[in-house]
Amino acid sequence: MYRTPGPRPIRVWPFQDNTIAGDMGVTVIIQQIVTYVITSTLCNWDLRHGTKSLTRPWPPMMHFPSTCRPEGSWLGVKMPADVAQRGRPLYMGNAEDKSRFVQFCLWFLRAMSTGSERNVIFARHITFRQRIERLLWSALQGLWWAVITFWWFWPISIAIVAPIFEHQDMRGGWAPPLIKLVYGGVLGLLTNPLIALFQVGAESQVRHFYPDHALWKEQQEQEELSLPTLPVQTATSATVKE
């Protein structure tokens, strides 16, 4: 697009032209979605082939709920039928006794800010549908971080580029692709390590490599002290009319 001369100028502003500002804004979103999928996949591949996880989950968000509903949900760690069978609700961490909205928000923060087995797209013995679901989940996490970091990456970058190229028509020159190259490279250097840490610090990976960690025992004891017992649902036999 940048190297092909056309009737429309290539400037930093305004948006109705082929603008550098608009391209940089889109790059933040697209690149982080793609980066999250690729980096999480590569990290989980390494974890299956010799690389060890961190010794503790990172970021430290185990006090946040691991499910959006104490009765269980497809979005959480257990389905409603499994929770009903076990006879007590799921532990909601710092969302205990809070409203459903607060529980969902705190779960969403943990789900978007940590790695999990849902990022293992090429896990063995899962269906094609499950792979697609995991791919979409990783892309959603990338989109979330794009939304969060957009307000830092884009304004700072524009503040650097605009004073230099604001009044120039850059059609046919090397400035636009070089700006894109440097911008994408810096963006990758800043986001890749963070995404990798999410994966090597995922609770599921830490549990796999350190199953006897005292942290799991502490968590189990806390859950047992916090959760009330619910009546177990049992199937009733149908009555036969005489």
Side-chain angles (χ1 to χ4, degrees):
M1 178 182 75
Y2 289 136
R3 293 294 298 162
T4 303
R8 299 173 64 185
I10 297 176
R11 303 182 185 276
V12 177
W13 304 104
F15 284 124
Q16 58 262 30
D17 293 329
N18 291 327
T19 60
I20 303 298
D23 190 15
M24 294 172 77
V26 173
T27 299
V28 174
I29 299 172
I30 300 300
Q31 181 168 325
Q32 289 204 68
I33 293 174
V34 175
T35 298
Y36 204 104
V37 173
I38 294 176
T39 303
S40 61
T41 300
L42 293 176
C43 286
N44 281 293
W45 177 270
D46 289 339
L47 288 166
R48 287 173 50 193
H49 294 83
T51 303
K52 281 194 172 184
S53 70
L54 302 179
T55 56
R56 297 178 68 90
W58 192 92
M61 300 183 70
M62 289 183 62
H63 56 293
F64 281 65
S66 59
T67 182
C68 57
R69 293 170 60 91
E71 300 86 4
S73 169
W74 175 81
L75 294 172
V77 293
K78 288 185 180 295
M79 297 294 287
D82 298 326
V83 177
Q85 184 177 8
R86 94 173 193 159
R88 61 182 185 181
L90 296 171
Y91 180 57
M92 297 299 290
N94 60 354
E96 282 286 314
D97 302 323
K98 301 290 178 62
S99 67
R100 287 295 176 87
F101 178 74
V102 173
Q103 289 177 346
F104 180 86
C105 290
L106 292 176
W107 163 80
F108 186 81
L109 286 174
R110 176 175 176 173
M112 292 294 104
S113 304
T114 58
S116 69
E117 60 274 7
R118 287 187 175 183
N119 298 122
V120 188
I121 300 173
F122 295 104
R124 298 185 180 94
H125 311 302
I126 62 174
T127 64
F128 177 76
R129 177 179 176 177
Q130 290 172 323
R131 296 189 195 280
I132 297 299
E133 289 175 350
R134 294 184 179 199
L135 174 63
L136 294 176
W137 180 263
S138 298
L140 178 62
Q141 287 182 289
L143 177 61
W144 165 254
W145 282 105
V147 172
I148 293 296
T149 59
F150 180 89
W151 313 106
W152 286 275
F153 289 136
W154 188 73
I156 293 174
S157 302
I158 295 301
I160 296 172
V161 172
I164 303 173
F165 301 100
E166 183 176 7
H167 302 293
Q168 298 183 27
D169 183 357
M170 293 176 276
R171 277 180 293 182
W174 285 101
L178 286 176
I179 292 172
K180 185 73 172 287
L181 176 64
V182 174
Y183 181 61
V186 172
L187 187 62
L189 287 174
L190 293 174
T191 56
N192 265 289
L194 187 64
I195 297 170
L197 279 173
F198 291 158
Q199 304 309 312
V200 297
E203 182 183 342
S204 57
Q205 297 292 353
V206 179
R207 284 183 180 274
H208 172 73
F209 285 100
Y210 304 98
D212 299 324
H213 201 297
L215 185 63
W216 318 132
K217 185 177 180 180
E218 294 174 6
Q219 184 185 35
Q220 184 177 2
E221 291 175 351
Q222 188 175 12
E223 291 182 13
E224 291 175 352
L225 291 173
S226 303
L227 295 178
T229 302
L230 292 180
V232 180
Q233 296 180 359
T234 57
T236 57
S237 58
T239 58
V240 180
K241 294 183 179 180
E242 296 182 357

